[in-house]
Structures are given as C-alpha cells and as structure tokens.
C-alpha cells in the first residue's frame, strides 16, 4: 500500500495536459491540493505551489510539490516527500530538480542540474555522496516541470482518441526514460466543486517502473484554460486508489464548473 500511494504522489506531480492556449494556463501563486483515498481511508495528501523567482540571474518558475500520509493511514506507514523544480518561464526547460523523500525509513536526497550547453544533466546523490552524468536533449523534462510544460504546449483540439503524447523525463538515478500519455477523450466528473468536463488520459510507463502491467491507471484534467488535474485513479488487484482535487487557489483562469 505504501508503494502504491508513493507512486501516485509522483504521478500527480508529473502529469497534466493542455491545449495550446493564447493565454497562459497558470501564473505565480497557483496552489493545488489533492486528497488520496485508498478504500475508505484518506491515506495522504499532495500539494503543488508555483512561484516566480530567479536562479543564477535567470527568471524562472519555482514549483514545490509535497506529499504526506495523514490520519489513520500514517499509523501504518509514513510518507513525507518533497519535490522541487526550477524551469524557464518561456520554454519550460528545467534548470534544477530536487527530490527529498522519506517513505517508511526509505530515504533519498537527489539534486539534478541541467546543462544545455553541454547536453548533460548532473545528478548529485547527497545521501550517498555520489554523482552521475546523463546525456540529455533540449526536450528533457523533470517530474515537476513536465506538468507545466504539457499544460502550455499541446493542442488537444486537433487530437484524436488513441493518440499519445511522449516526453523524455529524468528525475532519478535510473536515467532518462520515455513518459507517455494516451488520450482517451472527454468525460464529465462529479467533484466536490460540482460537475467538471475533463480530458481523460491513460499514462503509459515502463513495466515495473511505477505500476505493474495488470494495474490500470487513468487521469482526468479540467477541460478549461487551466488544465489542472482533477482525478487520478488506479484499479488494483487488491482494490482501488483515487486521488481527487481537494482545494485550489490563485488559478490563472476561471475554473469551469457545469451548472445544472
């Protein structure tokens, strides 16, 4: 159960999508909160907070993603994860990615610096005192920057059901891998905020990296100018897990709710 919740937090940080908008999909100050349910348990929560900063004299967006178990679930296991990304305001390229996690005593403390002049990323493992270099291209994304890049760079008005979005992603010491989102069409969901029209996706990942092949993972994002994650659901052999948008603040555009 701990592993399932941990990876769901990761996927919430990584995935959303957007039509290419004449206006931005987000702005500094945007804050999103998600509640993760496993069966009848409110197992954990995750937040994403976007600010505007400078890094090495370059204007960047800075996003902090945090995930924690809470309440009754925290008695059985503890998840306390922090993810950070600094990425270019214009093209969405990440400059720095930070991953600090504590999952039931399993810890990681990783920092990645992206160097586009040398086409490499330098991963520093602060816990083990090691360093790795990876070859990258200009389209690389980290776990956090990918979400905001997708929200601003894809024209889904021309997408057909069954088409996929592919991204090269780097966020851990196992190297660059291909992350893929398959578009499944539109669907209206009932949420705590009301009925929301969503774009529906199936994240496709390498077997064994996140979820097993027999497990089905589905993502819904709002079909408005914001393109924020509304729900993620995993159908598992031992039940189901669901993460829902639980709160928001500072959206760039109006959150579209369908009124009865």
């Amino acid at each position: 159960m701990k592993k399932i919740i941990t990876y769901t937090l990761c996927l919430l940080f990584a995935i959303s999508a957007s039509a290419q908008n004449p206006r931005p999909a987000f702005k500094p100050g945007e804050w999103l909160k998600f509640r993760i349910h496993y069966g009848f348990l409110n197992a954990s929560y995750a937040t994403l907070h976007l600010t505007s900063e400078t890094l090495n004299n370059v204007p960047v967006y800075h996003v902090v993603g945090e995930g924690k178990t809470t309440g009754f679930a925290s008695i059985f296991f503890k998840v306390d994860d922090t993810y950070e990304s600094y990425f270019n305001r214009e093209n969405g390229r990440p400059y720095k990615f930070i991953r600090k996690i504590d999952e039931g005593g399993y810890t990681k403390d990783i920092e990645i610096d992206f160097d586009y002049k040398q086409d490499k990323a330098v991963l520093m493992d602060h816990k083990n005192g090691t360093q790795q270099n990876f070859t990258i291209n200009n389209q690389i994304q980290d776990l956090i920057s990918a979400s905001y890049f997708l929200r601003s760079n894809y024209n889904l008005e021309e997408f057909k059901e069954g088409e996929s979005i592919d991204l090269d992603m780097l966020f851990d010491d196992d190297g660059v891998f291909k992350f893929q989102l398959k578009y499944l069409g539109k669907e209206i969901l009932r949420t705590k905020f009301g009925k929301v029209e969503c774009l529906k996706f199936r994240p496709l990942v390498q077997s064994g990296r996140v979820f097993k092949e027999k497990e089905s993972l589905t993502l819904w994002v709002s079909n408005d100018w914001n393109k924020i994650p509304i729900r993620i659901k995993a159908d598992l052999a031992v039940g189901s897990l669901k993460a829902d948008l639980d709160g928001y603040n500072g959206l760039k555009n109006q959150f579209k709710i369908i009124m009865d």
Side-chain angles (χ1 to χ4, degrees):
M1 179 178 174
K2 174 175 75 66
K3 182 177 180 181
I4 294 169
I5 291 175
T6 297
Y7 284 128
T8 301
L9 291 172
C10 291
L11 287 165
L12 275 172
F13 295 154
I15 46 185
S16 63
S18 135
Q20 191 169 19
N21 299 328
R23 50 180 139 173
F26 50 83
K27 66 178 181 178
E30 181 185 85
W31 176 84
L32 306 173
K33 180 180 180 181
F34 304 90
R35 177 69 65 180
I36 300 176
H37 310 267
Y38 182 77
F40 65 90
L41 294 176
N42 287 328
S44 59
Y45 69 87
T47 59
L48 286 166
H49 186 208
L50 173 70
T51 59
S52 182
E53 298 185 18
T54 59
L55 180 69
N56 299 324
N57 296 319
V58 177
V60 296
Y61 286 123
H62 178 207
V63 180
V64 177
E66 297 181 311
K68 300 178 185 291
T69 46
T70 185
F72 186 70
S74 62
I75 298 174
F76 299 99
F77 52 87
K78 177 183 177 182
V79 173
D80 188 354
D81 293 354
T82 299
Y83 295 82
E84 298 183 55
S85 178
Y86 298 80
F87 57 92
N88 189 284
R89 295 185 196 176
E90 298 298 325
N91 56 35
R93 292 178 188 169
Y95 292 126
K96 183 184 290 290
F97 174 74
I98 297 170
R99 183 185 183 197
K100 295 183 179 181
I101 64 172
D102 183 347
E103 300 165 357
Y106 173 73
T107 62
K108 278 197 173 187
D109 187 353
I110 288 174
E111 181 177 328
I112 303 175
D113 289 309
F114 297 86
D115 185 342
Y116 299 100
K117 291 182 179 180
Q118 299 189 49
D119 296 325
K120 73 174 183 179
V122 179
L123 184 150
M124 292 162 284
D125 186 334
H126 297 299
K127 175 184 175 182
N128 298 311
T130 59
Q131 178 178 307
Q132 291 178 266
N133 295 337
F134 297 98
T135 300
I136 61 171
N137 57 45
N138 288 336
Q139 304 304 313
I140 195 73
Q141 293 292 322
D142 66 42
L143 189 67
I144 298 292
S145 67
S147 173
Y148 297 86
F149 178 80
L150 288 168
R151 289 172 66 182
S152 300
N153 287 277
Y154 282 88
N155 186 3
L156 290 181
E157 297 302 322
E158 299 176 358
F159 255 58
K160 297 179 181 178
E161 292 185 24
E163 287 191 276
S164 298
I165 301 171
D166 296 331
L167 282 181
D168 288 332
M169 190 178 293
L170 174 64
F171 70 93
D172 208 342
D173 54 11
D174 50 5
V176 178
F177 73 98
K178 187 71 70 176
F179 180 78
Q180 187 177 73
L181 282 176
K182 183 178 180 181
Y183 179 55
L184 302 182
K186 297 178 182 179
E187 185 175 336
I188 295 176
L189 295 184
R190 291 187 179 274
T191 75
K192 65 176 290 185
F193 310 104
K195 292 193 294 185
V196 178
E197 183 177 75
C198 297
L199 303 171
K200 186 177 180 181
F201 294 90
R202 174 68 40 79
L204 303 176
V205 296
Q206 295 179 9
S207 177
R209 181 179 295 275
V210 177
F211 286 90
K212 298 178 182 178
E213 289 182 341
K214 67 180 180 179
E215 296 168 337
S216 177
L217 185 67
T218 309
L219 166 75
W220 292 262
V221 300
S222 62
N223 188 22
D224 56 21
W225 293 112
N226 299 296
K227 299 299 186 293
I228 55 177
I230 300 298
R231 176 172 297 166
I232 183 170
K233 185 177 180 182
D235 294 321
L236 311 171
V238 293
S240 64
L241 182 145
K242 184 173 69 170
D244 285 317
L245 181 68
D246 191 60
Y248 62 89
N249 197 7
L251 297 182
K252 173 67 177 177
N253 306 290
Q254 182 178 1
F255 183 27
K256 187 181 294 185
I257 306 295
I258 298 175
M259 306 300 295
D260 290 326

